[in-house]
PDB file of all heavy atoms in Angstrom:
ATOM      1  N   GLY D 244       0.415   1.422  -3.206  1.00  0.00           N
ATOM      2  CA  GLY D 244       0.700   0.312  -4.101  1.00  0.00           C
ATOM      3  C   GLY D 244      -0.018   0.350  -5.423  1.00  0.00           C
ATOM      4  O   GLY D 244      -0.089  -0.662  -6.113  1.00  0.00           O
ATOM      5  N   ILE D 245      -0.569   1.499  -5.804  1.00  0.00           N
ATOM      6  CA  ILE D 245      -1.269   1.611  -7.078  1.00  0.00           C
ATOM      7  C   ILE D 245      -0.549   2.639  -7.940  1.00  0.00           C
ATOM      8  O   ILE D 245      -0.520   3.820  -7.614  1.00  0.00           O
ATOM      9  CB  ILE D 245      -2.729   2.030  -6.884  1.00  0.00           C
ATOM     10  CG1 ILE D 245      -3.470   1.002  -6.013  1.00  0.00           C
ATOM     11  CG2 ILE D 245      -3.439   2.179  -8.218  1.00  0.00           C
ATOM     12  CD1 ILE D 245      -4.867   1.408  -5.647  1.00  0.00           C
ATOM     13  N   ALA D 246       0.048   2.171  -9.026  1.00  0.00           N
ATOM     14  CA  ALA D 246       0.740   3.072  -9.946  1.00  0.00           C
ATOM     15  C   ALA D 246       0.003   3.101 -11.276  1.00  0.00           C
ATOM     16  O   ALA D 246      -0.863   2.282 -11.547  1.00  0.00           O
ATOM     17  CB  ALA D 246       2.181   2.629 -10.144  1.00  0.00           C
ATOM     18  N   ASN D 247       0.378   4.059 -12.122  1.00  0.00           N
ATOM     19  CA  ASN D 247      -0.206   4.187 -13.459  1.00  0.00           C
ATOM     20  C   ASN D 247      -1.718   4.303 -13.403  1.00  0.00           C
ATOM     21  O   ASN D 247      -2.443   3.738 -14.229  1.00  0.00           O
ATOM     22  CB  ASN D 247       0.198   2.992 -14.336  1.00  0.00           C
ATOM     23  CG  ASN D 247       1.698   2.820 -14.404  1.00  0.00           C
ATOM     24  OD1 ASN D 247       2.431   3.804 -14.528  1.00  0.00           O
ATOM     25  ND2 ASN D 247       2.166   1.595 -14.307  1.00  0.00           N
ATOM     26  N   LEU D 248      -2.208   5.008 -12.422  1.00  0.00           N
ATOM     27  CA  LEU D 248      -3.643   5.158 -12.216  1.00  0.00           C
ATOM     28  C   LEU D 248      -4.124   6.466 -12.812  1.00  0.00           C
ATOM     29  O   LEU D 248      -3.469   7.496 -12.687  1.00  0.00           O
ATOM     30  CB  LEU D 248      -3.954   5.147 -10.719  1.00  0.00           C
ATOM     31  CG  LEU D 248      -5.395   5.467 -10.316  1.00  0.00           C
ATOM     32  CD1 LEU D 248      -6.323   4.336 -10.734  1.00  0.00           C
ATOM     33  CD2 LEU D 248      -5.473   5.707  -8.821  1.00  0.00           C
ATOM     34  N   SER D 249      -5.272   6.429 -13.476  1.00  0.00           N
ATOM     35  CA  SER D 249      -5.888   7.661 -13.938  1.00  0.00           C
ATOM     36  C   SER D 249      -7.097   7.959 -13.054  1.00  0.00           C
ATOM     37  O   SER D 249      -7.772   7.051 -12.575  1.00  0.00           O
ATOM     38  CB  SER D 249      -6.306   7.550 -15.408  1.00  0.00           C
ATOM     39  OG  SER D 249      -7.299   6.563 -15.576  1.00  0.00           O
ATOM     40  N   VAL D 250      -7.337   9.244 -12.835  1.00  0.00           N
ATOM     41  CA  VAL D 250      -8.449   9.696 -12.005  1.00  0.00           C
ATOM     42  C   VAL D 250      -9.262  10.704 -12.802  1.00  0.00           C
ATOM     43  O   VAL D 250      -8.711  11.622 -13.407  1.00  0.00           O
ATOM     44  CB  VAL D 250      -7.945  10.361 -10.704  1.00  0.00           C
ATOM     45  CG1 VAL D 250      -9.123  10.707  -9.797  1.00  0.00           C
ATOM     46  CG2 VAL D 250      -6.962   9.455  -9.977  1.00  0.00           C
ATOM     47  N   ARG D 251     -10.564  10.521 -12.820  1.00  0.00           N
ATOM     48  CA  ARG D 251     -11.445  11.464 -13.507  1.00  0.00           C
ATOM     49  C   ARG D 251     -12.434  12.047 -12.508  1.00  0.00           C
ATOM     50  O   ARG D 251     -13.096  11.320 -11.765  1.00  0.00           O
ATOM     51  CB  ARG D 251     -12.209  10.784 -14.643  1.00  0.00           C
ATOM     52  CG  ARG D 251     -13.137  11.746 -15.401  1.00  0.00           C
ATOM     53  CD  ARG D 251     -13.811  11.053 -16.577  1.00  0.00           C
ATOM     54  NE  ARG D 251     -12.841  10.608 -17.570  1.00  0.00           N
ATOM     55  CZ  ARG D 251     -12.307  11.415 -18.495  1.00  0.00           C
ATOM     56  NH1 ARG D 251     -12.648  12.695 -18.548  1.00  0.00           N
ATOM     57  NH2 ARG D 251     -11.427  10.940 -19.350  1.00  0.00           N
ATOM     58  N   TYR D 252     -12.501  13.378 -12.486  1.00  0.00           N
ATOM     59  CA  TYR D 252     -13.448  14.093 -11.637  1.00  0.00           C
ATOM     60  C   TYR D 252     -14.574  14.635 -12.515  1.00  0.00           C
ATOM     61  O   TYR D 252     -14.339  15.446 -13.412  1.00  0.00           O
ATOM     62  CB  TYR D 252     -12.757  15.247 -10.909  1.00  0.00           C
ATOM     63  CG  TYR D 252     -11.713  14.789  -9.918  1.00  0.00           C
ATOM     64  CD1 TYR D 252     -10.369  14.686 -10.293  1.00  0.00           C
ATOM     65  CD2 TYR D 252     -12.053  14.462  -8.619  1.00  0.00           C
ATOM     66  CE1 TYR D 252      -9.410  14.267  -9.394  1.00  0.00           C
ATOM     67  CE2 TYR D 252     -11.107  14.036  -7.713  1.00  0.00           C
ATOM     68  CZ  TYR D 252      -9.787  13.941  -8.100  1.00  0.00           C
ATOM     69  OH  TYR D 252      -8.840  13.521  -7.214  1.00  0.00           O
ATOM     70  N   ASN D 253     -15.794  14.169 -12.277  1.00  0.00           N
ATOM     71  CA  ASN D 253     -16.968  14.663 -12.976  1.00  0.00           C
ATOM     72  C   ASN D 253     -17.787  15.544 -12.039  1.00  0.00           C
ATOM     73  O   ASN D 253     -17.966  15.200 -10.861  1.00  0.00           O
ATOM     74  CB  ASN D 253     -17.847  13.505 -13.463  1.00  0.00           C
ATOM     75  CG  ASN D 253     -17.175  12.679 -14.547  1.00  0.00           C
ATOM     76  OD1 ASN D 253     -16.411  13.211 -15.347  1.00  0.00           O
ATOM     77  ND2 ASN D 253     -17.462  11.395 -14.583  1.00  0.00           N
ATOM     78  N   PHE D 254     -18.295  16.638 -12.560  1.00  0.00           N
ATOM     79  CA  PHE D 254     -19.118  17.554 -11.774  1.00  0.00           C
ATOM     80  C   PHE D 254     -20.453  17.729 -12.478  1.00  0.00           C
ATOM     81  O   PHE D 254     -20.514  18.261 -13.598  1.00  0.00           O
ATOM     82  CB  PHE D 254     -18.405  18.894 -11.597  1.00  0.00           C
ATOM     83  CG  PHE D 254     -17.075  18.731 -10.923  1.00  0.00           C
ATOM     84  CD1 PHE D 254     -15.924  18.594 -11.685  1.00  0.00           C
ATOM     85  CD2 PHE D 254     -16.972  18.659  -9.548  1.00  0.00           C
ATOM     86  CE1 PHE D 254     -14.694  18.412 -11.074  1.00  0.00           C
ATOM     87  CE2 PHE D 254     -15.744  18.482  -8.935  1.00  0.00           C
ATOM     88  CZ  PHE D 254     -14.607  18.347  -9.693  1.00  0.00           C
ATOM     89  N   LYS D 255     -21.520  17.232 -11.841  1.00  0.00           N
ATOM     90  CA  LYS D 255     -22.834  17.247 -12.447  1.00  0.00           C
ATOM     91  C   LYS D 255     -23.735  18.288 -11.791  1.00  0.00           C
ATOM     92  O   LYS D 255     -23.687  18.492 -10.570  1.00  0.00           O
ATOM     93  CB  LYS D 255     -23.484  15.864 -12.346  1.00  0.00           C
ATOM     94  CG  LYS D 255     -22.826  14.815 -13.232  1.00  0.00           C
ATOM     95  CD  LYS D 255     -23.609  13.514 -13.231  1.00  0.00           C
ATOM     96  CE  LYS D 255     -23.011  12.521 -14.219  1.00  0.00           C
ATOM     97  NZ  LYS D 255     -23.791  11.249 -14.259  1.00  0.00           N
TER      98      LYS D 255
END
Side-chain angles (χ1 to χ4, degrees):
I245 301 174
N247 305 318
L248 173 69
S249 64
V250 185
R251 181 176 297 279
Y252 294 94
N253 293 327
F254 302 94
K255 290 187 175 182

